[in-house]
Amino acid sequence: MTVRLYNTLTKKREEFIPIEEGKVGIYVCGITAYDVCHIGHARSAVVFDVIYRYLKYKGYDITYVKNFTDVDDKIIGKAIAEGTDIGEIAERYIREHNEDMDRLGVARPTAAPRATESIKGMIRLIETLMEKGLAYVVDGDVYYSVEKFSGYGKLSGRSLDDMMAGARIDIDEKKKNPFDFVLWKSSKEGEPWWSSPWGKGRPGWHIECSVMSQRFLGDTFDIHGGGEDLIFPHHENEIAQSEGATGKPFAKYWIHNGFIKIDSEKMSKSLGNTLTIKEILDAYHPEVVRFFILQRHYKSYIDFSDGAMAEARGGMERVYTALKGIKDALGGGESVSDLSEKDLSGEDKTAFEKVHTLPVRFTEAMDDDFNTPMALGYIFDTVRIINGYLPRDGAQPGGGTLFVLQDARERIREVGKVLGLFLEEPDDYFTKSQEREVSKRGLDVEEVERLIDERKQAREAKNWARADEIRDLLAARGIVLKDTPASTTWKIE
RNA sequence: GGCGGCAUAGCCAAGUGGCUAAGGCAGCGGUCUGCAAAACCGUUAUUCACCGGUUCGAGUCCGGUUGCCGCCUCCA
């Protein structure tokens, strides 16, 4: 089965056919290293991480490039403000970024080049554009002449005439056309610079991606991705630069992820409602964050709120509760059943067939434009089967049951690995989750446990009134108790 | 002003021409439990913003209306 994906360039869902059979080259625009990453970066990272892992799961030999922009106005501004150089600023935020990604369980790309490592290539590319008459020089700045590139606007679906009609940009007298964009910028006093045929200067923003994608993936490659805000002008300009220079098609498929809103508002620095990845991870388990993101199709916007996160947490718990049930039934052993599939019959056989085909359904969903919400739905279907199949308290499960449960766990792990979910030991997951909730709510754990202990004694004395009173007291603080024959455990609702 | 997207149950969210409109959360009834919790079973949209059209057949295609949103400036 082949993957079908929505291509921003054609505005259609298309069959994914790699340029070279079995191989995939993917380039995703990374961050500008001038500030800590927010939840929007997390979404983009998680979405493309899952696409990367899925294509790998499908057996493709994949080269995944995600760049760092380490020279730009904002970085320069920050360096000047702090009296340091751009290298130090970039280094700091790249390190922070990598830390955030590691915590989110985002795999490192095959290559993570920095713009400043490819300055020579950028100069060469700009020279080619000059030779082809696609660029012009004004006072040491080099501009791209959009009118000279006939395909300009094909990605964002607008013509230059449309853009002119609705132009809202400042007229810059240096430019021949208001949509011309800078390829090379002359440096002002105190700014970093590189020498070039046009004098001391630095690259414009778009040129780096044209150069680094070409360097790692060639003139034409399979997939180019990024946030939807990059469609115009960034990706449009990349196409103009690359196709203008090589005369060949640039990326074959373009994938763009949707934005995150916060409490139904657009997240932006001016509104002051940005949430950093660090803040989110202090409050929620990384897998809850991934689950929250993957619960919606990557192209739609997501509305972040505490309520939505609480729901995501609830969903995660459902899966981990089932995994815990399996673990308890297996008695902690990894491989306790030495049966094989053909030894199964009746109920065991039926359950096995349902559970064992999870990866097939998962693949169907993912092949359909990476439909992670549907993929998660199939995982929940599997969870229901497991829960209904788990031995009741105290019952001794038979060999067939163990075999099925073991397989169920394997299959959930198999697809979970692609999504970056359900990879923890259930006990660890619950412990970490609980610690976060406790610290978030400022609960006094010792007092909680003292009350539980008091309730235990009341229960032993069959003083149900006092036992219930304590439970209600704890419930008022969001603590839910669970009595098992052996002990009482508690969790945050 | 230009370009584009979305509207599915109380909430979140799949489904893009055809079996009974996935799944999660919340609710209700039952089983289990000292009572709960978790889990399971059942239940919760004759209907997919509205109006018209195409079709044997539409949530799904086309046209219109209304409402929300994004991009056009740095932005994931």
Side-chain angles (χ1 to χ4, degrees):
Chain A
M1 280 297 287
T2 54
V3 174
R4 289 170 60 79
L5 53 81
Y6 180 85
N7 186 354
T8 312
L9 186 60
T10 57
K11 286 161 193 67
K12 281 195 287 257
R13 204 172 279 199
E14 298 176 6
E15 198 174 321
F16 174 67
I17 303 164
I19 295 159
E20 195 180 333
E21 203 184 327
K23 289 193 174 178
V24 179
I26 175 165
Y27 185 93
V28 174
C29 292
I31 59 153
T32 298
Y34 76 103
D35 203 352
V36 291
C37 291
H38 57 243
I39 180 153
H41 296 109
R43 183 180 194 187
S44 185
V46 168
V47 162
F48 287 104
D49 183 47
V50 168
I51 289 173
Y52 167 58
R53 290 170 190 240
Y54 182 64
L55 292 175
K56 231 175 168 173
Y57 175 74
K58 293 278 285 188
Y60 289 107
D61 176 7
I62 176 163
T63 306
Y64 174 32
V65 181
K66 183 174 163 180
N67 71 296
F68 288 111
T69 299
D70 61 348
V71 51
D72 132 295
D73 287 348
K74 290 186 291 284
I75 301 173
I76 293 169
K78 198 144 195 163
I80 291 170
E82 293 189 16
T84 180
D85 58 86
I86 59 168
E88 193 180 317
I89 300 291
E91 189 57 43
R92 181 196 309 163
Y93 291 111
I94 287 171
R95 200 177 56 235
E96 299 252 22
H97 165 274
N98 287 340
E99 234 175 74
D100 289 344
M101 293 304 129
D102 288 349
R103 287 176 72 191
L104 278 171
V106 169
R108 295 283 175 98
T110 318
R114 302 177 186 199
T116 54
E117 295 163 355
S118 292
I119 301 282
K120 276 185 189 159
M122 295 188 216
I123 291 171
R124 272 200 301 277
L125 187 71
I126 297 170
E127 281 179 320
T128 304
L129 292 170
M130 287 291 293
E131 283 159 20
K132 297 205 168 188
L134 292 165
Y136 57 94
V137 183
V138 183
D139 302 336
D141 293 337
V142 186
Y143 290 98
Y144 189 100
S145 186
V146 295
E147 289 167 18
K148 299 278 175 62
F149 181 68
S150 63
Y152 198 75
K154 67 180 179 183
L155 180 69
S156 50
R158 42 190 131 186
S159 66
L160 272 173
D161 289 344
D162 290 339
M163 291 188 235
M164 292 308 286
R168 266 196 199 170
I169 62 172
D170 296 335
I171 302 299
D172 182 336
E173 284 172 3
K174 287 181 173 178
K175 296 180 184 177
K176 291 182 184 170
N177 180 302
F179 289 96
D180 288 351
F181 55 92
V182 69
L183 297 166
W184 188 262
K185 247 176 171 170
S186 60
S187 292
K188 297 191 193 77
E189 190 60 35
E191 288 181 351
W193 56 270
W194 286 263
S195 23
S196 80
W198 317 285
K200 290 178 178 180
R202 56 194 167 91
W205 172 36
H206 316 294
I207 195 72
E208 61 177 84
C209 292
S210 285
V211 170
M212 292 188 282
S213 60
Q214 186 182 40
R215 182 170 154 194
F216 289 93
L217 303 170
D219 291 346
T220 302
F221 56 94
D222 298 294
I223 299 173
H224 192 130
E228 64 178 9
D229 55 319
L230 297 178
I231 295 171
F232 190 90
H234 185 53
H235 289 163
E236 197 70 73
N237 292 351
E238 282 185 45
I239 292 175
Q241 290 165 346
S242 295
E243 297 192 354
T246 65
K248 297 179 199 164
F250 186 42
K252 194 172 176 191
Y253 304 95
W254 288 83
I255 300 178
H256 292 96
N257 67 275
F259 265 44
I260 288 194
K261 292 187 184 188
I262 294 189
D263 295 326
S264 306
E265 264 194 330
K266 188 193 166 175
M267 179 174 71
S268 76
K269 297 217 167 180
S270 53
L271 282 166
N273 62 348
T274 54
L275 267 172
T276 66
I277 292 176
K278 289 177 212 314
E279 286 169 325
I280 301 295
L281 290 179
D282 283 343
Y284 304 98
H285 189 287
E287 288 195 356
V288 171
V289 178
R290 289 184 75 108
F291 180 83
F292 167 73
I293 290 167
L294 297 174
Q295 245 182 330
R296 254 204 112 160
H297 188 83
Y298 72 85
K299 275 203 307 289
S300 316
Y301 75 83
I302 308 184
D303 199 357
F304 178 96
S305 66
D306 287 329
M309 288 306 287
E311 271 195 21
R313 195 166 69 90
M316 284 300 286
E317 270 185 24
R318 184 166 162 78
V319 179
Y320 270 112
T321 300
L323 292 175
K324 168 109 171 94
I326 292 177
K327 194 185 175 189
D328 292 346
L330 294 180
E334 281 297 312
S335 183
V336 292
S337 174
D338 49 14
L339 297 179
S340 78
E341 193 180 334
K342 43 182 193 303
D343 299 324
L344 300 175
S345 62
E347 199 191 349
D348 290 341
K349 197 174 176 185
T350 311
F352 177 81
E353 276 161 8
K354 284 183 194 158
V355 155
H356 194 70
T357 52
L358 170 63
V360 175
R361 289 188 300 273
F362 173 81
T363 300
E364 269 170 27
M366 292 297 284
D367 277 349
D368 188 15
D369 201 21
F370 311 107
N371 193 336
T372 53
M374 184 173 265
L376 290 170
Y378 290 140
I379 292 173
F380 280 107
D381 288 340
T382 306
V383 164
R384 192 179 329 100
I385 294 164
I386 293 167
N387 282 334
Y389 198 69
L390 283 171
R392 308 295 292 175
D393 279 337
Q396 199 48 248
T401 302
L402 292 179
F403 183 81
V404 172
L405 291 177
Q406 205 172 294
D407 189 71
R409 182 167 67 179
E410 288 309 308
R411 299 290 76 79
I412 288 179
R413 277 185 183 161
E414 177 184 337
V415 302
K417 232 172 145 178
V418 176
L419 301 173
L421 295 175
F422 322 124
L423 302 175
E424 290 240 42
E425 275 303 310
D427 291 324
D428 291 345
Y429 173 85
F430 285 115
T431 305
K432 287 182 194 170
S433 186
Q434 180 149 315
E435 279 168 5
R436 273 192 171 77
E437 292 302 316
V438 163
S439 92
K440 224 168 32 174
R441 297 170 196 228
L443 290 173
D444 182 340
V445 178
E446 283 182 16
E447 196 200 346
V448 169
E449 293 192 337
R450 190 184 56 73
L451 284 167
I452 289 173
D453 200 53
E454 187 187 334
R455 177 169 169 274
K456 185 182 170 218
Q457 288 167 27
R459 290 183 75 219
E460 277 164 4
K462 296 213 187 314
N463 182 356
W464 307 124
R466 178 59 187 156
D468 289 352
E469 193 185 339
I470 291 171
R471 189 177 48 222
D472 291 345
L473 194 71
L474 290 168
R477 296 191 217 166
I479 293 165
V480 183
L481 302 181
K482 180 188 175 187
D483 296 324
T484 66
S487 67
T488 296
T489 59
W490 59 282
K491 65 165 194 165
I492 315 280
E493 67 174 353

